[in-house]
Amino acid sequence: MQVTLLKAKLHRACTTHAELDYEGSCAIGADLLDAAGIFPYEQIEIYNVTNGERFSTYAISAEAGSRVISVNGAAAHKASPGDRLIICAYARMPEGEARAHKPRLIYLDENNQVTHTRNAIPVQAA
């Protein structure tokens, strides 16, 4: 049986640009893509914490060190500069592999600087 699990997450990324006339996708600083293990052209899900929008697109690389998070094309209607986003990538894997899987969780501040990383989300208390 195949299972789809969270592969990577950029948590609370801050939108730097919303480019309606760009070809499409979401540009992410290359160093942030590398930290999360997200590939250019990989499908990503974006959850806008600021306005509640949720949408799918694909990642493209922005200049390393730029801290760019640019929501482009039609998706630019769903995010504005300053919005906080959760950007996720998922992977399908066999159940046995899934039991040992640990996602790459990258936590960012308001300047898209990495504050810390994890490979598990703490258990939510009641």
Side-chain angles (χ1 to χ4, degrees):
M1 176 175 82
Q2 293 282 311
V3 179
T4 302
L5 296 176
L6 179 66
K7 171 188 159 188
K9 173 172 81 163
L10 293 167
H11 190 75
R12 295 189 62 82
C14 187
T15 307
T16 60
H17 302 78
E19 302 288 342
L20 184 61
D21 293 323
Y22 193 79
E23 184 176 343
S25 67
C26 180
I28 301 170
D31 51 329
L32 296 175
L33 287 177
D34 288 344
I38 297 172
F39 295 100
Y41 308 108
E42 184 172 357
Q43 181 178 337
I44 55 176
E45 300 291 324
I46 299 180
Y47 312 120
N48 189 325
V49 176
T50 304
N51 67 20
E53 291 282 356
R54 299 167 74 91
F55 53 98
S56 298
T57 188
Y58 59 94
I60 61 172
S61 185
E63 185 178 353
S66 66
R67 299 184 303 229
V68 163
I69 303 290
S70 183
V71 180
N72 301 318
H77 289 289
K78 298 181 176 284
S80 299
D83 285 1
R84 300 304 291 265
L85 309 175
I86 299 170
I87 301 171
C88 296
Y90 296 88
R92 289 189 56 77
M93 60 192 74
E95 183 178 350
E97 188 178 324
R99 292 190 186 285
H101 173 71
K102 301 288 184 196
R104 287 191 194 179
L105 309 174
I106 311 300
Y107 295 82
L108 305 173
D109 68 12
E110 63 278 356
N111 297 309
N112 294 328
Q113 296 274 35
V114 176
T115 61
H116 62 286
T117 63
R118 291 189 183 147
N119 65 7
I121 296 172
V123 175
Q124 184 172 340

